[in-house]
Amino acid sequence: MTSVDVRAVSRAFGDAVALDDVTFAVAQGDLVVLLGPSGCGKSTMLRLIAGLDEPTAGAILIDGRDVRGLAGAARGVAMVFQSYALFPHLSVADNITFGLSVRGVAKEERARRLGDVAALLGLEPLLKRKPAQLSGGQQQRVALGRALIAHAPVCLLDEPLSNLDAQLRQELRREIRALQQRLGITMIYVTHDQTEAMSMADRVILMRQGRIEQNGRPADLYQRPATLFAARFIGGAQMNFLDLDDGPNGAAVIAGTAGPALFAGSGQGRVLGLRPEDIALDASGSRGHFHAPVTAVEYLGAEALVTCMIGERPLVARTRGDQVPGLGATVSLAWENSAAHVFDAATGDRLAPEPIVEPLSPPHRALSNRGIS
Ligand code: ATP
């Protein structure tokens, strides 16, 4: 069942268009992440759903009802802000129950719900403290508690973890996800952090300049990025991009090389995308299609990012940390056909893969690449 339905929503501030014809639906009980770089319109979208602002055009439906003109509580939404927005002079308990008091919920009911939320979030020992006496993670939990106690069917979170250190962020995103799943809350979560999005979301809505670039499951965005922008934004180590060119026999090759052929058809105006983790690097230099010199190594412990040169272009491959080639060594590189992403260089759109002329897998094939031994 659809919980939040955003239909052709636009929001302009004077001449500046913050959102341009945005349509998406959030199913009940799903955690949907609005992801994208600074200024792409994520917070504006969340504020429109929360009722803190109204669209210039389009409609927002919550549980099938057009919510234009309704305040947040009447819409059935609760929001957690990046800044937490806790009242410094109120105790943790009063901060959490503030909204219920304002709405005139009876004292016994407030106490009962506070007990539930405090137990859920591990806040019982902190209820008498003031916000200044709490750590960042504890403040974040209070802000979350304030949203959960409202029993709103839809919870909106705007970069709730951005003020915290990396370890706490990781802990809390697990906690929030577990809580959301346990309670069956519909959540819309704004972040610019792709790791947060990929690890928490049922669906990721990737935004760019006020429009949706791609809307899908995390695995869809990773495995089949719809555009160059999506390919660049998603993934731990950034995808490699190599310009293609027309090679012999009507096949596409990597620009600056004479082969091997990647697929039948023109390579001009096309870009090959390869994730570092999809490139098999053979340090002995005997297996693979491209012989490439190693120009940089970034050692990360369990793994390493190894930069090699394909023609004039650097290509980063990920290897195990105990199999790192030395600087200047010549390694060979190979990848599965299915790991190759092809994009139109001008529009950025993903292109349907075309039949492969030569299989890009061992056995080793001798090359006559310019600049590659
Ligand atoms: P960030 O991650 O930096 O918070 P965001 O993706 O949440 O960015 P928004 O805050 O939604 O982006 O802003 C989208 C665009 O709308 C930006 O160009 C911003 O400058 C503009 N904008 C947002 N609010 C207003 C406003 N009240 N008046 C004028 N322009 C605004």
Side-chain angles (χ1 to χ4, degrees):
M1 193 177 134
T2 298
S3 180
V4 179
D5 207 351
V6 173
R7 295 188 182 166
V9 161
S10 297
R11 177 67 171 105
F13 297 99
D15 287 344
V17 179
L19 292 171
D20 183 11
D21 196 16
V22 173
T23 296
F24 65 88
V26 179
Q28 196 167 35
D30 265 6
L31 192 160
V32 168
V33 169
L34 300 179
L35 174 69
S38 182
C40 70
K42 311 177 292 290
S43 297
T44 302
M45 189 70 249
L46 210 63
R47 289 172 52 80
L48 294 179
I49 298 170
L52 298 170
D53 190 12
E54 292 290 352
T56 321
I60 296 172
L61 283 71
I62 297 179
D63 280 333
R65 188 170 56 130
D66 190 329
V67 291
R68 181 174 277 277
L70 296 180
R75 291 177 177 215
V77 303
M79 184 153 169
V80 181
F81 296 92
Q82 178 175 1
S83 59
Y84 313 142
L86 301 179
F87 298 114
H89 58 289
L90 295 184
S91 67
V92 166
D94 290 342
N95 261 289
I96 293 176
T97 54
F98 183 79
L100 300 187
S101 308
V102 169
R103 272 183 279 140
V105 174
K107 197 172 171 191
E108 301 73 43
E109 173 68 5
R110 290 204 308 261
R112 194 184 60 74
R113 288 206 210 171
L114 175 64
D116 288 351
V117 166
L120 198 66
L121 295 171
L123 288 170
E124 285 142 320
L126 307 173
L127 289 175
K128 292 201 170 70
R129 291 202 199 167
K130 298 275 168 58
Q133 297 167 306
L134 302 177
S135 72
Q138 290 164 340
Q139 290 185 31
Q140 200 279 337
R141 267 175 243 202
V142 177
L144 198 59
R146 198 169 47 177
L148 293 180
I149 205 168
H151 288 183
V154 180
C155 189
L156 310 171
L157 297 97
D158 192 356
E159 304 245 13
L161 309 182
S162 58
N163 300 334
L164 307 174
D165 67 48
Q167 197 181 343
L168 198 54
R169 268 212 307 269
Q170 196 175 10
E171 267 173 48
L172 284 175
R173 71 178 183 238
R174 280 196 204 121
E175 279 183 25
I176 292 174
R177 176 60 162 161
L179 205 64
Q180 176 267 333
Q181 288 180 314
R182 185 144 44 95
L183 302 181
I185 305 171
T186 307
M187 267 192 186
I188 306 180
Y189 187 109
V190 161
T191 183
H192 61 269
D193 179 341
Q194 69 90 31
T195 312
E196 219 162 275
M198 297 296 273
S199 60
M200 294 177 81
D202 292 299
R203 293 190 79 79
V204 175
I205 297 177
L206 177 63
M207 297 183 61
R208 179 194 188 189
Q209 295 177 350
R211 291 177 152 265
I212 294 181
E213 189 81 2
Q214 188 167 3
N215 173 353
R217 294 174 305 132
D220 297 333
L221 273 80
Y222 179 79
Q223 289 164 8
R224 286 187 60 80
T227 61
L228 273 173
F229 178 85
R232 218 173 263 129
F233 208 86
I234 303 290
Q238 207 192 60
M239 190 185 271
N240 295 285
F241 297 104
L242 295 165
D243 291 335
L244 298 180
D245 208 346
D246 293 342
N249 307 320
V253 296
I254 292 174
T257 74
L262 298 175
F263 54 83
S266 173
Q268 260 195 19
R270 295 176 171 192
V271 177
L272 172 69
L274 286 172
R275 295 201 185 276
E277 55 271 34
D278 287 335
I279 300 172
L281 183 152
D282 178 29
S284 72
S286 62
R287 288 194 306 272
H289 296 295
F290 288 93
H291 290 198
V294 173
T295 55
V297 172
E298 193 183 340
Y299 178 69
L300 300 168
E303 60 191 35
L305 296 173
V306 179
T307 307
C308 313
M309 297 305 287
I310 295 262
E312 305 285 298
R313 299 295 306 276
L315 185 82
V316 177
R318 198 160 83 181
T319 61
R320 288 175 46 151
D322 58 0
Q323 293 176 359
V324 182
L327 273 182
T330 297
V331 296
S332 52
L333 307 168
W335 55 86
E336 297 289 331
N337 295 330
S338 58
H341 307 265
V342 182
F343 302 94
D344 184 306
T347 64
D349 289 342
R350 182 186 190 87
L351 298 170
E354 299 184 37
I356 305 289
V357 178
E358 298 182 54
L360 270 178
S361 55
H364 168 67
R365 202 177 291 272
L367 288 174
S368 54
N369 299 346
R370 253 185 289 139
I372 299 177
S373 58

